Amino acid sequence: MAPQAKLVFVMSLLLGTTLTISSNHWITAWAGLEINTLAILPLISKSHHPRAIEAATKYFLTQAAASALVLFSSMTNAWHTGQWDITQLTHPMSCLILTSAIAIKLGLAPFHFWFPEVLQGSPLTTGLLLSTIMKLPPISLLFMTSPSLNQTLLTCMAVISTALGGWMGLNQTQIRKILAFSSISHLGWMAIIISYNPKLALLSFYLYVLMTTAVFLTLNSINTLKLSTLMTTWTKTPTLSAMLMLTLLSLAGLPPLTGFLPKWLIIQELTKQDMALTATAISLLSLLSLFFYMRLAYCATITLPPHTTNHMKQWHVNSPTNTTIAILTTMSTMLLPISPMLSTML
């Protein structure tokens, strides 16, 4: 892909994201979502491999259906109330349709089937965009419409997402699919709290983006896509493997690390809302995700394959340990001491 074309697509992504998160009118928000969808499609299919074309087709069909539902929801609300303002979503049917549409956009269960397949067919850099920047506009719409959302439906989808994100990631050997199910599980934590404390949901999203970016950049540096090649990384780049292990453990939410902070605050907030049973359920379901995070960390640092074939020996490293990965890994593991300050802000 020509650098000029890549620049146009990346700028279009930034334009669509900015347009959606800064708009008050449903039409401009919908236009931003469409610009995002059209800009990411060439980046998904740039390798011209059949799997990449399949991923781009699935992404386009899913996102087009979700955008149509967003437009239909806003038009229904405008028909009954005369309001096109995003914060004035009051019609019950419009709230229900919008909740489903944004769930499709984000990949919340039971609308999650497209996301692992699309991520598996995309390059690592495009997968990073799909897991981070492309989630920001739907999360922003959820944030702006959080008082109007159907809380029962959102809570059910959040619990199911946490369960399926952990359960379906257990038997995966492709790292991109594991990270896709990891994203589904984390989105469940964000969705369950956004109706009660939207700022906490945004904090959880920002920390998820921080940790996921560190993981994707590290995997891109060591040129690793499968568990079998991840086993050989310790002999190539022990520093990057150790950094990857720490980031994965933080993504799992283990207490000394940064990833524990959003889960801790979400459980605390759910308990304050008299939802102790729900908090217990998603805490136990997150143990499923902990298993495959531990397996990834184990493969990255401790395990070596008994018979290393030439296919598994990917001795090429894209780039040495750079400053960006080091800073992101440090932030992904050592931000827990700022939790008292964040608690007062929330």
Side-chain angles (χ1 to χ4, degrees):
M1 181 180 290
Q4 295 85 355
K6 189 178 294 186
L7 177 63
V8 169
F9 297 141
V10 172
M11 293 301 293
S12 299
L13 277 177
L14 296 177
L15 171 64
T17 302
T18 306
L19 189 62
T20 301
I21 65 178
S22 61
S23 59
N24 290 321
H25 198 283
W26 275 113
I27 297 297
T28 53
W30 170 80
L33 292 174
E34 289 299 304
I35 292 173
N36 261 358
T37 300
L38 295 176
I40 198 69
L41 288 175
L43 297 178
I44 297 175
S45 58
K46 67 179 180 179
S47 65
H48 303 294
H49 190 273
R51 189 64 186 268
I53 302 300
E54 177 190 354
T57 305
K58 288 180 178 178
Y59 185 79
F60 172 74
L61 294 175
T62 307
Q63 297 299 308
S67 296
L69 285 177
V70 169
L71 196 58
F72 180 68
S73 168
S74 59
M75 290 177 65
T76 304
N77 185 70
W79 179 270
H80 286 90
T81 65
Q83 292 287 338
W84 283 96
D85 197 321
I86 290 180
T87 58
Q88 300 298 321
L89 192 72
T90 56
H91 191 258
M93 184 56 68
S94 299
C95 297
L96 184 64
I97 296 174
L98 181 72
T99 305
S100 303
I102 297 183
I104 297 174
K105 281 277 184 188
L106 289 172
L108 283 172
F111 309 110
H112 67 285
F113 297 101
W114 64 271
F115 188 56
E117 299 298 325
V118 170
L119 208 63
Q120 178 61 27
S122 306
L124 277 174
T125 50
T126 308
L128 172 60
L129 295 176
L130 287 170
S131 300
T132 55
I133 293 179
M134 297 302 293
K135 304 287 186 186
L136 183 56
I139 286 285
S140 302
L141 290 179
L142 272 182
F143 180 83
M144 288 185 282
T145 59
S146 56
S148 308
L149 295 175
N150 190 311
Q151 295 184 4
T152 304
L153 178 62
L154 204 57
T155 302
C156 291
M157 287 193 297
V159 174
I160 296 173
S161 297
T162 309
L164 288 180
W167 185 264
M168 297 183 71
L170 294 178
N171 63 341
Q172 301 295 330
T173 58
Q174 299 289 331
I175 296 179
R176 283 171 293 183
K177 279 196 173 182
I178 293 176
L179 292 177
F181 289 117
S182 162
S183 175
I184 293 170
S185 178
H186 278 85
L187 285 170
W189 282 84
M190 299 173 210
I192 203 169
I193 200 62
I194 197 162
S195 297
Y196 305 102
N197 194 335
K199 291 183 180 179
L200 181 53
L202 279 185
L203 171 66
S204 179
F205 175 73
Y206 294 150
L207 293 179
Y208 163 75
V209 167
L210 174 69
M211 295 179 287
T212 303
T213 303
V215 171
F216 270 99
L217 291 180
T218 307
L219 291 174
N220 189 52
S221 293
I222 60 181
N223 197 20
T224 301
L225 298 175
K226 300 185 296 185
L227 285 180
S228 57
T229 54
L230 186 63
M231 294 178 183
T232 65
T233 56
W234 182 260
T235 55
K236 296 185 294 181
T237 53
T239 304
L240 281 177
S241 297
M243 294 164 66
L244 179 63
M245 179 199 68
L246 289 174
T247 312
L248 286 169
L249 293 180
S250 180
L251 202 56
L254 290 184
L257 306 174
T258 303
F260 176 64
L261 174 58
K263 293 187 176 181
W264 177 19
L265 295 177
I266 288 173
I267 291 173
Q268 184 181 18
E269 183 65 28
L270 288 176
T271 306
K272 291 179 182 178
Q273 299 291 336
D274 294 329
M275 297 178 65
L277 186 61
T278 307
T280 304
I282 63 169
S283 301
L284 293 177
L285 290 172
S286 66
L287 294 178
L288 296 171
S289 303
L290 177 62
F291 176 82
F292 60 73
Y293 287 126
M294 292 293 292
R295 183 173 62 171
L296 282 173
Y298 185 82
C299 290
T301 54
I302 301 176
T303 306
L304 287 176
H307 302 290
T308 307
T309 64
N310 290 329
H311 171 68
M312 296 165 65
K313 285 184 178 179
Q314 295 187 357
W315 298 108
H316 171 69
V317 179
N318 288 338
S319 62
T321 306
N322 56 37
T323 308
T324 305
I325 297 177
I327 293 174
L328 289 174
T329 303
T330 304
M331 295 176 66
S332 299
T333 54
M334 299 184 180
L335 288 184
L336 194 62
I338 70 171
S339 56
M341 179 184 67
L342 294 175
S343 299
T344 58
M345 292 172 59
L346 296 173

